[in-house]
Every structure is written in C-alpha cells, then in structure tokens.
Amino acid sequence: METLISSLQPQITFPILHASDIAAARRAGQKLADALGFAEVQAGRLAIVITEAGTNILKHAGEGTLYIMRAQSGVETAGIDVLAIDSGPGIGDIETSLRDGVSTAGTAGTGLGALRRQADEFDVWTARGQGAAFFMRVWSSLAPPEPCGIEVGALCVPLAGEDESGDGWAVSCNLDGASLLGVDGLGHGPEAHKAAAAAVAALERRPAASPSDTLHAAHDALRITRGAALSVARIDYSEDALHFAGIGNVNGVVCDGESRRAMVSHNGIVGNNMRKVQEFSVACPPGALVILHSDGIQTQWDLNAYPGLAARTPAIVAGILMRDFIRRRDDAMVLVGRRRGGHA
C-alpha cells in the first residue's frame, strides 16, 4: 500500500516575539485539532505543548519560531507536529533541564518537562551558542506504527508578503522503498504554487515510479503552468541505494555520517524545456539522511558544524537548516528523510 504526504497539507508558521503570539499559535493549533477530529483530552495536551514551547522560546531565547502542521507521517491516524526553533544561548545540560522543577529562568521549571510528558513523540537538539530545537508530535488517538522505513521532516516558507509558497515537497512510501520530491515553481505566489502542486500530483498518481518517469510525467503535467525546477529521489530498500534525477536547482544530498554526496541535476525547466533526464545512483544505507532543498536555502551548510544534529529527528534537521540558511528573498523549502534502522 502506498502512502503519500506533501506540502499541500497545512503548515502554520508563527514568529514568537510576544506572549500574544503564543496565544495566536495555540488558537491555530486548536483549530487544526478540531478539523482533524482530536478528542478533548488530546486537544488539551496539544494546547499545553504549544503554550510551553512558545513560553520557553520567550524566556530563554527572547524570540524564535513555532511551526504547527499535520503530522508528517504516512499513517491514517491524524496527528499534529509542533516544531520550536530559536537562536538563543542553547542549553548546556538538556537532560537536567527536562526534569520537572529545574529552571534557569527563576520559574517553576515545569515547561520543558511538560513538553516531553505531554507529547506522544519528542526530540530535542541544542548546543551552547547555537540555540535549540524541540520537536513534539501529538496523535489524535493511540500512536500508530510507521507504515514504511522512512522518517520525514519538511518545511516550506513563502516569500515575505505571499500567502502561498511556490516551493513544495512530497514523500511516498511502501514496503519496498520511498520516493522524495522537491519542487521550485518559477517565480513565487499563486502561479508558482500551481506548478508545485502539479508536480506533487504527478508523484501521487504514480508513487513508486522511477525518478526519470516521475520527471517525464511532471513535464507533461506542468506544460499548462509556468514550469518548475524539480528533483526526485527513490530509495530502494533491497539495494540500499538511492536513485536520483533532477532538472534545475533543487539540490539533493545524501549524508551517511561519513560522507556528504551531492546529486547532479541538469539544466532546464520542467514543463518547458526539459532536454535531458538522467538518473544517478548512490549508496543509501539505513540511517542515511536524504536532503532536498530549493535555492531559497543556501548551499554551504554542513551538518558537522552542529554536533549531534544528524542523529536527531528529520524535522529538527530541517528546522535548523531553515533557520540558518534561508535566503529570505525567495520561497524556501527543506525536505529531510532518514532511512530507518540506524542514525547517520
């Protein structure tokens, strides 16, 4: 059975600068929980997670960002992900800080402990002088098992002043492998968003197709749009390999803890002048990270500059890359997938 998740599912971004921003984020989270059919108890847990995550940002970093989105998981059970990112001083002893009653800000010290206690899934990364990132997932019912062998974390941020992003992403998976798609519609705004959505739909129609076949299908679908840059990666579990094909400047990288291998894309515009499609293959063992990002993200990032980050949940990796390398003059997208079975 194929499952598909994508940037077409709602993602809400809240800069946290004041206590009123936390209240607005909590209301948006509750609205999403209602739409997904959360029970009252689960919705209450989500409200606590959002409140404590935002409060922690203000108390310890002064400002930061909350991302609230439908769970980036292919299971049928509804869930909501909360990602809290800041550029504060970092936390020296995170395990001690996560104990209830421990505080460095003169408070009761229950906030960070509440994040881990109220969330069904929890992860954190922090380092002195490099800020902190917290990931929480709350399911609408009992947490279900993952349907396939990949974890996913992704963020899309539109250009300032735009409501829709022209960048997009999608992930499909089954028991044999997973496909990751990253797209950058030409320009920005609604027309670029239409091109990105058409590329996502091409993967949805044939979720297990090869990267080259997906590119050709997207090329046909995008002829009525302004076109896009597009990269597709297919992880084959039996071969421990990743097959990649790309047109334009959506970057693809595989990080396995020992090396960083950048994928090769050809020039062109999908939907317009796609002259050459060529697949490349590299090793992709369990634990490897596959990262796709648009040119709204700078390319000179290095996960080794963030001790321990590569071992954290993909949502946190995506959040730190977005925080530190967004160009802010275009839409931006980061998609991170990890093969289950180990850590990079």
Side-chain angles (χ1 to χ4, degrees), residues 109-325:
T110 57
L112 293 184
L115 291 180
R116 182 159 64 178
R117 189 172 59 252
Q118 297 295 333
D120 293 310
E121 298 180 26
F122 174 86
D123 199 11
V124 58
W125 177 85
T126 185
R128 287 196 180 275
Q130 292 184 303
F134 292 86
F135 170 79
M136 289 71 58
R137 176 173 288 170
V138 180
W139 293 108
S140 62
S141 59
L142 293 178
E146 290 289 344
C148 59
I150 188 171
E151 300 174 81
V152 176
L155 293 173
C156 269
V157 175
L159 178 69
E162 296 288 352
D163 294 327
E164 295 180 308
S165 175
D167 291 353
W169 61 270
V171 177
S172 67
C173 62
N174 61 14
L175 297 178
D176 298 322
S179 294
L180 296 85
L181 177 149
V183 57
D184 181 351
L186 264 62
H188 50 81
E191 293 303 315
H193 178 76
K194 288 179 183 178
V200 170
L203 180 65
E204 186 173 15
R205 285 190 293 270
R206 296 186 60 194
S210 69
S212 59
D213 286 347
T214 300
L215 277 172
H216 283 295
H219 184 57
D220 291 337
L222 268 65
R223 290 185 187 277
I224 59 172
T225 74
R226 59 174 55 175
L230 177 61
S231 290
V232 183
R234 177 71 183 176
I235 304 172
D236 187 308
Y237 298 154
S238 64
E239 296 180 0
D240 284 342
L242 179 137
H243 307 292
F244 177 92
I247 300 293
N249 52 3
V250 174
N251 291 275
V253 178
V254 178
C255 302
D256 64 5
E258 298 180 357
S259 64
R260 166 180 162 160
R261 295 184 294 278
M263 303 294 98
V264 177
S265 293
H266 288 290
N267 293 329
I269 300 172
V270 178
N272 187 345
N273 61 342
M274 189 177 75
R275 296 188 181 92
K276 182 179 182 181
V277 175
Q278 184 177 6
E279 283 194 19
F280 300 89
S281 298
V282 298
C284 187
L289 291 175
V290 180
I291 301 175
L292 303 182
H293 66 81
S294 68
D295 65 351
I297 301 294
Q298 302 170 48
T299 59
Q300 68 269 30
W301 54 267
D302 180 5
L303 295 185
N304 292 326
Y306 303 86
L309 178 61
R312 305 274 48 93
T313 190
I316 287 180
V317 179
I320 294 299
L321 292 178
M322 182 68 75
R323 182 195 71 180
D324 289 354
F325 297 98

Side-chain angles (χ1 to χ4, degrees), residues 3-6 9 69-81 121 135 137 139 143-148 150-154 169 171 173 340:
T3 60
L4 185 135
I5 54 175
S6 77
Q9 297 168 336
M69 63 211 95
R70 182 164 183 167
Q72 293 176 344
S73 171
V75 299
E76 293 183 1
T77 300
I80 294 176
D81 292 346
E121 298 180 26
F135 170 79
R137 176 173 288 170
W139 293 108
E146 290 289 344
C148 59
I150 188 171
E151 300 174 81
V152 176
W169 61 270
V171 177
C173 62
R340 292 183 181 276

